[in-house]
Amino acid sequence: MLDFRPVLLVNGILLVTLAAAMVLPAAVDLAVGNPDWKVFAAAAALTLFVGAMLALSNWAKANALTVRQAFVMTTTSWCLLPAFAALPLAFSDLNLSYTDAFFEAMSGITTTGSTVIVGLDYAPPGILLWRSLLQWLGGVGIIVMAVSVLPMLQVGGMQLFRMEFAERVEKALPRAAQIGAWIAIIYLLLTLLCAALYWWAGMSGFDAINHAMTTVATGGFSTYDSSVGLFGSARIEWIATVFMILGSLPFLLYLQALRGSPGALLRDSQVRWFFGFLLTATAIMIVYLVIEKNWTIADAIRFTSFNVTSVMTGTGYATQDFGSWGAFALPLFFLLMFIGGCAGSTTCGIKIFRFQVLYATAKVQMRRLLRPHGVFIAYYNRKPIPESVEESVMSFFFLFMMIFALLACALGLMGLDFVTATSGAATAISNVGPGLGEVIGPAGTFASLPDQAKWLLSLGMLLGRLEIFTVLILLAPSFWRG
């Protein structure tokens, strides 16, 4: 029988942390005289009560979580947190249904960036800050989870990084808690630096803080319906582009750089592949816009660099409706949605290292076809790839595409048009934010979708954020019999 006490204890501690975070938007609303501070205060009190009861009633001698407990804890916590985070949204003056509030909260915590709120320009400051805080907390949460939990669970090839970083980091910082603390400090410093640069570039202090949190988290929530495009500032767009990229790189490599190995980022093959994908897609789109659409080179470089980076990293900011850039832009941006950034970053999607493993495995298979008796080994970062990693990555690709297809078909059955259904499924499971087309594209929202579609997309966001296996394993009867 699975012992749920450690699972409930962790969930309780996380709810207490969420309740503490609600105090910030409550204080902001109180300072400006907005009555929503009462909503945040009540939601914080309820969340604190439930979290404290779960923690205190299951407080026992701390033991390391077993693998099965870790699976349950990870999935339940990422369901429980948005359920309580939705309360201030549901009871605020925005008049959102609980379905809309849960969708918005799930989108925030998973750093997806899809929204159902129309009229952000006039929304209370507490709500705007709460949305940004959810993405910021979700961003640091997914980094810590990718470093400490997913490698232990051997999800989708993530066990590769348990071996990859063991020699580099764990000897210097042997405790996972220490590594998590250092990552949180680096994350906070990047956020503060980004906020300072946004403020220097012309944003107000409030806008700078909110956009810094969602930029480093590669989440994409903005304080305006027009997103970053409202500012019309090339300086702000380039700052955002740089920090979206920084949020997409492995945070453990930042830790290595701080501990005396500044060249770690440049030597890592995953980082080089990431820039290869990004620069290639950007260059192709620039050439297309200049030749086919008669854009100036300066405009093409500026808008393409920002929007390609935003979609590929899963941030979801927009400065223009790239759906109107022509027939070629739609399939390119659609493909970019699936790529994502590096493992151990705030991004989601398939992630670069899986493409590397797939490429290395395919190359070895080609060589074996030419030389059936030869011995060939696939390598990642100049180290042999274990067979278990190859199998995990192949399984992940299969499940990722299968779930994407099922989501798209289900959305189509709910009456959504082809572009909305397919891009909605892609943006949910890849945690990107905006889809394509007139309904959920960069200029639209998810508000007009039926409630069933919003719950389905929320499930897609959860599956994408938790690397699919973490959730699906709970559906296996053998998991509960073990």
Side-chain angles (χ1 to χ4, degrees):
M1 183 66 182
L2 187 67
D3 184 4
F4 284 94
R5 286 177 300 175
V7 174
L8 296 174
L9 172 62
V10 172
N11 278 313
I13 293 171
L14 291 174
L15 285 178
V16 170
T17 304
L18 187 72
M22 290 180 185
V23 174
L24 290 174
V28 170
D29 273 343
L30 180 61
V32 299
N34 189 287
D36 274 355
W37 73 268
K38 298 176 183 178
V39 173
F40 279 104
L46 177 60
T47 306
L48 177 63
F49 174 76
V50 175
M53 289 299 293
L54 284 175
L56 293 174
S57 60
N58 294 281
W59 201 271
K61 185 178 180 181
N63 293 315
L65 287 170
T66 66
V67 171
R68 290 167 67 228
Q69 287 172 334
F71 274 117
V72 176
M73 180 273 293
T74 304
T75 302
T76 54
S77 62
W78 286 79
C79 292
L80 200 60
L81 289 174
F84 280 85
L87 295 177
L89 298 168
F91 295 106
S92 70
D93 288 339
L94 295 175
N95 295 318
L96 297 178
S97 66
Y98 186 77
T99 295
D100 284 345
F102 184 87
F103 178 92
E104 194 80 10
M106 179 64 82
S107 177
I109 286 180
T110 58
T111 71
T112 303
S114 303
T115 186
V116 294
I117 300 177
V118 180
L120 288 171
D121 305 49
Y122 310 104
I127 291 293
L128 298 176
L129 180 60
W130 183 232
R131 295 167 76 246
S132 301
L133 267 173
L134 287 178
Q135 289 202 328
W136 192 78
L137 293 171
V140 71
I142 199 63
I143 296 171
V144 173
M145 192 177 78
V147 171
S148 58
V149 179
L150 294 182
M152 178 185 73
L153 302 182
Q154 302 187 28
V155 170
M158 288 296 289
Q159 65 265 40
L160 181 67
F161 296 95
R162 190 177 188 181
M163 299 174 285
E164 179 76 10
F165 294 109
E167 296 177 1
R168 303 186 191 180
V169 178
E170 291 179 9
K171 288 183 179 178
L173 295 170
R175 294 175 61 85
Q178 287 179 286
I179 298 175
W182 273 100
I183 286 174
I185 291 170
I186 295 169
Y187 187 76
L188 176 61
L189 292 176
L190 281 177
T191 306
L192 293 175
L193 177 59
C194 184
L197 289 174
Y198 274 148
W199 180 75
W200 167 78
M203 282 189 184
S204 68
F206 183 76
D207 287 340
I209 292 170
N210 279 275
H211 284 87
M213 285 193 286
T214 59
T215 301
V216 175
T218 61
F221 274 161
S222 177
T223 52
Y224 301 99
D225 288 334
S226 302
S227 190
V228 178
L230 176 90
F231 300 99
S233 168
R235 186 181 295 174
I236 287 175
E237 290 164 23
W238 284 113
I239 292 169
T241 302
V242 169
F243 280 90
M244 284 189 286
I245 291 172
L246 292 176
S248 304
L249 302 181
F251 273 67
L252 275 177
L253 294 181
Y254 293 141
L255 182 55
Q256 283 184 255
L258 290 176
R259 298 188 67 84
S261 184
L265 278 167
L266 299 177
R267 291 192 300 269
D268 190 82
S269 65
Q270 188 180 195
V271 174
R272 294 198 299 268
W273 272 61
F274 170 76
F275 280 109
F277 273 113
L278 183 62
L279 293 175
T280 300
T282 302
I284 290 172
M285 184 55 69
I286 288 172
V287 171
Y288 168 75
L289 292 174
V290 170
I291 294 177
E292 295 293 327
K293 298 298 179 180
N294 298 316
W295 283 34
T296 64
I297 293 178
D299 282 348
I301 291 174
R302 171 185 168 184
F303 293 115
T304 298
S305 299
F306 180 89
N307 288 284
V308 166
T309 302
S310 179
V311 171
M312 182 173 149
T313 61
T315 307
Y317 283 147
T319 53
Q320 291 194 345
D321 182 3
F322 44 74
S324 64
W325 287 6
F328 175 71
L330 283 175
L332 179 62
F333 278 104
F334 182 74
L335 292 174
L336 288 174
M337 286 181 180
F338 291 104
I339 295 175
C342 301
S345 69
T346 60
T347 58
C348 199
I350 293 174
K351 292 194 173 71
I352 298 297
F353 86 93
R354 292 194 178 99
F355 287 101
Q356 291 179 266
V357 172
L358 185 66
Y359 172 76
T361 304
K363 187 167 69 171
V364 165
Q365 185 62 27
M366 294 284 285
R367 289 177 177 174
R368 286 173 182 164
L369 291 174
L370 294 173
R371 299 179 182 178
H373 301 293
V375 177
F376 303 100
I377 300 173
Y379 286 87
Y380 174 84
N381 262 349
R382 297 181 294 277
K383 293 182 179 180
I385 301 173
E387 188 174 337
S388 62
V389 172
E390 294 182 9
E391 292 172 353
S392 294
V393 169
M394 298 299 175
S395 301
F396 180 89
F397 267 99
F398 169 73
L399 283 176
F400 190 95
M401 299 314 297
M402 185 184 74
I403 291 172
F404 158 70
L406 291 174
L407 284 174
C409 290
L411 291 171
L413 286 173
M414 294 175 187
L416 276 61
D417 63 87
F418 175 77
V419 172
T420 302
T422 53
S423 67
T427 194
I429 197 170
S430 299
N431 302 111
V432 173
L436 302 174
E438 295 180 1
V439 180
I440 59 171
T445 71
F446 289 70
S448 62
L449 270 57
D451 283 356
Q452 300 95 318
K454 292 170 186 172
W455 285 108
L456 189 63
L457 290 171
S458 296
L459 175 62
M461 295 178 210
L462 178 70
L463 287 167
R465 185 77 281 182
L466 298 187
E467 309 277 347
I468 298 174
F469 287 98
T470 312
V471 180
L472 294 186
I473 191 67
L474 302 185
L475 303 180
S478 57
F479 175 86
W480 301 103
R481 289 197 300 264

